[in-house]
Amino acid sequence: MKLLRSLALALALGTCAINAHAGNVLIVLSDSDRLDLKDGMLFKTGFYLNELMQPVKALLEAGHDVTFATPKGTAPSVDKTSIDKMYFGGDEAEFKDSEKQLSELGLLSSGRSPVVSLARIEQIGYDHFDAVYIPGGHAPMQDPLVSPDLGKLLTYFHEKGKTTALACHGPIALLSTMADAKGFVSQFEATGTADATADWIYAGYKLTVFSNREEEMAKGLLNGGEMKFYPQDALTQAGGRFSRAEAPFAAHVIVDRELVTGQNPASAPALAQELLSRLR
């Protein structure tokens, strides 16, 4: 596809082509290909295919530009359990098209991935971007949630009222804006509770994330392992006002000021439409 080839070339140069009629959207992924579990176990993971590609496809088709980044600028990984048409509503054609687009973008290639570091994004300038999106998969539970560079970026977006969208496990990355994100996360991992920060910038925001109920139903994916904590609990402890769909795994998107959060993989299409609406 000509559009995707042009996009890949622009991203390889570290930025997107300038288009006065398009928005610039930053997609932030994890450097990690695993999630550390309790008792020294680990789970091979990454981003969820549909949670990344359904919004990316919608953005590209609407004429917007996208830039991909990870905290350190390493090529991200896709969670292999997400490479399944069931996450695309059983639509085989859409599933295969997303696989093809991901391949054309070269995101997973350590040699030609267009991904840049968040330090590079700061050099480009946060003002260059109109929105940021962080998809799920379990990987955001590993490094984005304690990344100082991500915390700085999200704080800037918050202060400027710029659209900040996150899906599934992605909203856990909001913890990175805490003054001591690592301390909060370490305390929560060790004791199941942590001292909320009164000045956390998202305190009082209504939001959603992959729910405890869904975590319990999906824990078989962890091959007998157990997560150190669930994102619903951590975000609620931090001061967020959690909301969930009535039925597990049903689409659910919450909008509060600049923040747009989606609960699970099924929420990615609706979240994409909210992003498009805000970029118009």
Side-chain angles (χ1 to χ4, degrees):
M1 303 173 77
K2 185 177 180 180
L3 177 60
L4 285 174
R5 288 196 297 269
S6 298
L7 172 67
L9 176 60
L11 289 175
L13 297 175
T15 187
C16 293
I18 297 175
N19 185 336
H21 302 290
N24 294 296
V25 181
L26 176 63
I27 313 291
V28 179
L29 302 162
S30 169
D31 287 299
S32 183
D33 64 352
R34 72 179 193 277
L35 173 65
D36 293 329
L37 304 173
K38 291 182 178 180
D39 300 322
M41 298 181 68
L42 63 84
F43 172 60
K44 296 290 288 185
T45 186
F47 61 83
Y48 255 45
L49 179 64
N50 84 296
E51 291 173 22
L52 175 66
M53 295 309 302
Q54 285 176 322
V56 165
K57 180 180 179 182
L59 290 166
L60 293 176
E61 289 180 347
H64 300 297
D65 294 325
V66 298
T67 300
F68 298 96
T70 63
K72 296 180 181 178
T74 56
S77 300
V78 61
D79 189 314
K80 290 182 171 54
T81 65
S82 74
I83 305 176
D84 193 307
K85 67 180 180 181
M86 74 174 179
Y87 294 109
F88 296 83
D91 189 325
E92 180 78 20
E94 184 185 1
F95 164 55
K96 290 298 183 183
D97 189 49
S98 291
E99 280 194 302
K100 180 181 178 183
Q101 288 185 358
L102 179 62
S103 177
E104 290 176 342
L105 287 170
L107 287 182
L108 307 182
S109 172
S110 59
R112 67 183 185 93
S113 178
V115 171
V116 298
S117 69
L118 290 179
R120 174 62 181 142
I121 294 301
E122 186 175 10
Q123 290 175 343
I124 293 170
Y126 298 152
D127 276 336
H128 177 74
F129 302 98
D130 302 292
V132 60
Y133 172 55
I134 303 177
H138 285 84
M141 300 283 295
Q142 187 72 14
D143 55 327
L145 79 168
V146 294
S147 166
D149 289 330
L150 181 57
K152 185 187 300 185
L153 182 149
L154 293 179
T155 298
Y156 185 90
F157 269 58
H158 167 76
E159 292 173 347
K160 298 295 184 181
K162 292 192 171 193
T163 298
T164 302
L166 314 93
C168 201
H169 289 81
I172 197 65
L174 298 172
L175 296 181
S176 67
T177 61
M178 288 182 162
D180 184 15
K182 289 184 178 179
F184 179 90
V185 171
S186 294
Q187 185 181 1
F188 204 83
E189 288 179 346
T191 68
T193 187
D195 297 327
T197 305
D199 59 354
W200 184 47
I201 60 176
Y202 299 107
Y205 272 67
K206 187 177 181 180
L207 51 79
T208 190
V209 70
F210 201 67
S211 69
N212 288 358
R213 179 170 53 171
E214 290 165 328
E215 294 283 11
E216 287 296 318
M217 295 173 69
K219 67 190 309 181
L221 293 174
L222 301 179
N223 302 316
E226 185 178 351
M227 292 172 63
K228 294 180 178 180
F229 65 89
Y230 288 161
Q232 175 187 327
D233 293 332
L235 290 171
T236 301
Q237 184 86 55
R241 295 166 50 224
F242 176 73
S243 172
R244 72 178 190 184
E246 289 187 9
F249 303 106
H252 187 58
V253 173
I254 293 295
V255 178
D256 190 345
R257 288 158 278 186
E258 84 279 7
L259 190 64
V260 182
T261 50
Q263 181 175 325
N264 46 37
S267 305
L271 185 146
Q273 291 307 306
E274 180 64 27
L275 263 177
L276 291 178
S277 176
R278 286 168 166 256
L279 288 167
R280 278 196 282 270

